[in-house]
Amino acid sequence: MANVQIIKLTSGEDIMGEVSDTEIDGKAFLLVDRPAVILMMPKPGSDDEFGVGLAPYAPFAKEHKVPIFPNHIISVYDPDRNLLNTYNTKFGSGLIQPEFINKKILNEVKKK
């Protein structure tokens, strides 16, 4: 399973992608695979309501992987389900997490 997380940078940007640790020339980095920047966008026809959008971050990076220096990171955290589903649909595996699991159906599938 992919480790999709949000990274808050010192620049104020929120970057989302599959995060792993890596080392380059003996220095530790966070490597973000298929990174996307999270943008707040006004909802059409509203002056005070906002939604969230995703746009490619560093779209010209080789193999769509971007190393980030640790001193540029404020925080790393897990996205909520809706944002994770949006990311997976546009940039990731395409899999989405349902809001609920019907336990009756799940039990019937397990029995078969």
Side-chain angles (χ1 to χ4, degrees):
M1 181 121 199
N3 185 28
V4 177
Q5 293 185 306
I6 298 172
I7 301 170
K8 180 73 165 181
L9 300 177
T10 56
S11 63
E13 294 170 302
D14 291 300
I15 306 299
M16 186 172 187
E18 293 184 31
V19 177
S20 61
D21 295 320
T22 192
E23 194 173 294
I24 300 172
D25 296 332
K27 296 180 183 177
F29 289 86
L30 277 187
L31 186 65
V32 185
D33 188 12
R34 296 184 306 249
V37 63
I38 303 169
L39 305 167
M40 296 296 294
M41 302 169 55
K43 288 188 176 180
S46 177
D47 293 332
D48 58 352
E49 292 185 55
F50 291 85
V52 176
L54 295 172
Y57 181 80
F60 305 111
K62 185 176 181 180
E63 298 177 6
H64 303 287
K65 295 181 181 186
V66 177
I68 298 180
F69 292 96
N71 59 331
H72 293 285
I73 298 171
I74 294 174
S75 180
V76 178
Y77 54 97
D78 295 326
D80 72 10
R81 181 180 308 142
N82 290 333
L83 188 56
L84 178 61
N85 287 342
T86 300
Y87 174 84
N88 281 336
T89 300
K90 294 182 178 183
F91 298 95
S93 65
L95 299 175
I96 60 170
Q97 295 180 2
E99 290 189 32
F100 71 93
I101 297 175
N102 188 325
K103 292 181 182 180
K104 182 180 176 184
I105 294 173
L106 186 60
N107 288 333
E108 289 176 12
V109 170
K110 285 182 180 179
K111 289 178 185 177
K112 293 179 182 180

